[in-house]
Amino acid sequence: MMNFEPLSSFIDRITSWRIPWAEVLVMYRNEPVFRYRNGYANLEEQTPIDDGRIINLYSLTKIMTCTAALQLLEKGAFLLNDRLSDYLPEYTEMNVKKRLPGGELILEKAVHPITVRDLFTMSAGFSYDLGLPSIREAVKHTGGKMPTRAIAEALAKEPLQFEPGTRWNYSLCHDVLAALVEAVDGRRFGTYIREEITRPLGMDDTGFDLPDGQQSRLAPQYEYSDELGKPVRKDGNGFRLGTEYESGGAGLLSTVSDYAQFLNALTNQGTSPDGVRILSPASVELMRTEQLTESMRGDFSWEQLKGYSYGLGVRTHISKARSGSLSPLGEFGWSGAAGCLAIIDPASQLTVMYAQHMLNNQEPFVHPRLRNIVYACL
């Protein structure tokens, strides 16, 4: 028998600690079996968190971006081992930063081309520096619009941090992957997402822009201030580089109910309970297959991801001995800057969508504990 009391107690505990509000939805065999929320959507006005609040997903966007790109892989639009420059010609010749024995930094021509796989696996050699000269110039040049395709053109002007395919570095890879989707498909990235994923799944509250009718449902966003010892209001999405920028890495807005539908389709091997297929089972399996080489694993070293490796845009559980996690091997997903977490587990037929809306999100404390509690409750 399932008993979720420990999970609701944990939500109560963290929302009386640093986090203004939190919500969790657990789905088992395609059915919601537990949902709980606590805390204040608006701390200043003491407004309790309610149903249907819209939040910034931040990096939880990455799972959908990689799903979109895998759909195109299924259609033969590209192969993982293709050169990126076959589709985005600006990447034909790249420079790489190299450090000489004396410490001096020099630029050399890259030996390896960036591949499509490198975008999926965060191994293209990019950084997550939104203040790069080429990006600032592109924002200015586009009059503050910065369409998605412009990020790829801007980054191609910057030297790479390392030879493509040799290291893992969390970066703007999935923003460039969104530009690749636009280049091979022809539609704007947000239009592609809407027409191929969210609308077929009935996800009316997910997108890169909020219609007027949804603005009032956007949850206030906070950041925990160690200095003040409390969360302070900090609205907006700093990863949105322009008015037309649809960030494949951090741009989507959604609700717990909406995004859980998408995550559950992946748990269900790529098909929703209603029969809407967004990916094949083979693609879901490839997505959660470890992609890192032995030398790259050392870069994937976040404390809360011990025992996990990286697939095509997702963490994937590879060692219970190292993780100490109660989830089975092959459980996968990702998280977001304001603290949301996706757990996708085809073997257990389990989907978990956890949400909060606070930057400086306490993820290393919250997420591993939340995951263990969920599995212990089943």
Side-chain angles (χ1 to χ4, degrees):
M1 194 177 90
M2 296 183 193
N3 173 17
F4 288 102
E5 278 181 28
L7 187 52
S8 54
S9 295
F10 182 69
I11 297 292
D12 291 344
R13 177 182 164 196
I14 59 176
T15 52
S16 65
W17 173 52
R18 294 183 162 194
I19 296 163
W21 65 266
E23 178 169 358
V24 65
L25 172 61
V26 180
M27 297 182 72
Y28 179 64
R29 295 180 177 170
N30 296 321
E31 295 295 329
V33 291
F34 181 73
R35 185 168 194 165
Y36 185 75
R37 65 179 78 92
N38 196 9
Y40 295 110
N42 188 314
L43 270 180
E44 293 76 24
E45 296 174 11
Q46 299 278 285
T47 312
I49 182 64
D50 51 5
D51 196 26
R53 282 287 179 166
I54 293 170
I55 58 167
N56 289 296
L57 291 177
Y58 291 110
S59 289
L60 226 55
T61 303
K62 291 176 167 73
I63 308 176
M64 190 171 284
T65 297
C66 291
T67 297
L70 281 169
Q71 287 181 335
L72 293 171
L73 179 90
E74 289 185 344
K75 293 171 182 165
F78 50 71
L79 298 172
L80 285 183
N81 294 326
D82 284 351
R83 293 170 182 241
L84 177 59
S85 58
D86 291 347
Y87 309 98
L88 300 175
E90 57 264 38
Y91 287 96
T92 302
E93 278 196 16
M94 296 300 292
N95 290 317
V96 184
K97 291 178 182 175
K98 292 276 174 75
R99 193 173 290 280
L100 297 175
E104 184 190 353
L105 268 181
I106 61 165
L107 294 183
E108 289 185 354
K109 292 278 183 211
V111 177
H112 305 292
I114 299 172
T115 66
V116 173
R117 181 194 307 275
D118 292 332
L119 293 186
F120 276 98
T121 60
M122 295 285 176
S123 55
F126 301 139
S127 74
Y128 228 133
D129 184 357
L130 299 175
L132 289 168
S134 63
I135 294 179
R136 288 205 307 268
E137 180 56 37
V139 172
K140 201 163 107 186
H141 180 70
T142 60
K145 292 180 179 177
M146 194 67 178
T148 302
R149 191 68 182 72
I151 189 71
E153 293 163 357
L155 276 179
K157 296 172 184 169
E158 296 286 343
L160 300 173
Q161 306 294 307
F162 51 84
E163 277 287 344
T166 62
R167 292 189 54 193
W168 185 89
N169 188 47
Y170 202 50
S171 66
L172 289 163
C173 277
H174 293 166
D175 289 64
V176 179
L177 190 59
L180 174 65
V181 169
E182 288 197 351
V184 300
D185 178 75
R187 284 172 280 185
R188 277 188 67 174
F189 185 59
T191 303
Y192 182 95
I193 290 288
R194 186 169 63 252
E195 293 179 356
E196 301 297 333
I197 301 176
T198 58
R199 187 184 290 156
L201 288 174
M203 297 168 64
D204 298 327
D205 287 332
T206 304
F208 291 100
D209 289 292
L210 288 183
D212 290 342
Q214 291 177 331
Q215 290 285 353
S216 62
R217 289 165 49 209
L218 179 63
Q221 183 174 267
Y222 293 86
E223 181 169 43
Y224 190 81
S225 166
D226 286 310
E227 196 180 322
L228 298 174
K230 64 177 186 178
V232 292
R233 187 80 176 258
K234 189 176 182 182
D235 290 331
N237 180 341
F239 296 94
R240 177 152 193 167
L241 295 170
T243 55
E244 292 181 12
Y245 191 63
E246 295 170 332
S247 165
L252 281 176
L253 297 133
S254 191
T255 63
V256 169
S257 298
D258 240 32
Y259 217 63
Q261 289 185 72
F262 163 65
L263 301 175
N264 191 59
L266 296 179
T267 298
N268 214 25
Q269 303 285 346
T271 301
S272 77
D274 301 333
V276 175
R277 179 157 143 162
I278 55 169
L279 279 182
S280 68
S283 294
V284 175
E285 195 56 37
L286 180 63
M287 187 184 221
R288 66 178 178 145
T289 298
E290 182 187 18
Q291 301 289 327
L292 302 187
T293 63
E294 197 60 48
S295 62
M296 292 156 75
R297 271 191 196 171
D299 300 320
F300 193 72
S301 58
W302 298 348
E303 181 64 28
Q304 67 270 29
L305 291 178
K306 277 184 177 170
Y308 284 80
S309 188
Y310 202 67
L312 297 178
V314 291
R315 68 166 193 279
T316 185
H317 195 188
I318 62 167
S319 171
K320 285 186 163 229
R322 289 205 301 277
S323 68
S325 174
L326 298 181
S327 68
L329 300 183
E331 171 260 309
F332 70 106
W334 201 241
S335 57
C340 51
L341 171 71
I343 296 173
I344 307 165
D345 181 358
S348 307
Q349 297 179 59
L350 179 79
T351 305
V352 179
M353 175 64 187
Y354 167 78
Q356 53 174 71
H357 214 212
M358 188 182 79
L359 303 162
N360 184 6
N361 56 40
Q362 321 298 309
E363 179 179 320
F365 180 89
V366 174
H367 290 181
R369 285 171 171 81
L370 182 96
R371 182 164 46 236
N372 279 350
I373 293 166
V374 166
Y375 279 92
C377 290
L378 294 179

